[in-house]
Amino acid sequence: MGLAYNVYLDSTKIFGCKNCKTHLANYDDIISRNFRGQHGKAFLFSSVVNIKAADAMERNMTTGRHVVRDIICRQCNETVGWKYDKAYEANEKYKEGKFILEAELLQVVY
């Protein structure tokens, strides 16, 4: 299996885990800022790094039913958001394969 090394992003603005400051996402990878999570404001990202994904589960959300999996900081095991695996509504399909990071659980680290 080997060691898992953290990815360090190189950008003008980087979001990291609020708990341990591990790099999670590049500001330029935000697709939308118009999302809400369990802790308030959230962002939709095209890609994130240094995370582990929990098992997939179906959830009823404000925009309909989705198959999602929680995403967890690889460094400190804090849940930081979720990944959309499947959307059942045609107008929600754009979310598939994308990530939500909750603003309350993030910190600008660079």
Side-chain angles (χ1 to χ4, degrees):
M1 174 144 161
L3 293 174
Y5 291 98
N6 283 343
V7 174
Y8 292 93
L9 300 170
D10 184 23
S11 179
T12 56
K13 190 171 185 182
I14 297 167
F15 289 106
C17 174
K18 187 176 184 178
N19 190 46
C20 69
K21 299 178 182 58
T22 297
H23 289 193
L24 296 174
N26 185 339
Y27 179 82
D28 296 331
D29 291 335
I30 293 177
I31 296 170
S32 175
R33 293 171 187 79
N34 194 25
F35 279 81
R36 302 287 296 171
Q38 294 174 340
H39 301 95
K41 188 174 182 173
F43 308 114
L44 182 68
F45 285 88
S46 57
S47 65
V48 297
V49 296
N50 300 323
I51 55 108
K52 300 182 287 188
D55 294 335
M57 65 181 74
E58 286 194 3
R59 283 193 194 148
N60 287 319
M61 303 178 116
T62 56
T63 56
R65 194 153 184 79
H66 296 80
V67 176
V68 299
R69 57 184 70 223
D70 286 339
I71 55 175
I72 300 150
C73 174
R74 186 166 71 188
Q75 190 69 33
C76 69
N77 290 320
E78 189 76 28
T79 299
V80 291
W82 65 89
K83 178 183 179 184
Y84 286 101
D85 282 348
K86 180 176 175 139
Y88 293 105
E89 307 280 333
N91 63 336
E92 299 293 319
K93 292 282 187 189
Y94 75 95
K95 296 177 183 175
E96 291 181 347
K98 306 294 189 304
F99 303 86
I100 292 288
L101 292 177
E102 297 199 47
E104 181 64 29
L105 305 175
L106 300 177
Q107 176 176 334
V108 176
V109 293
Y110 187 78

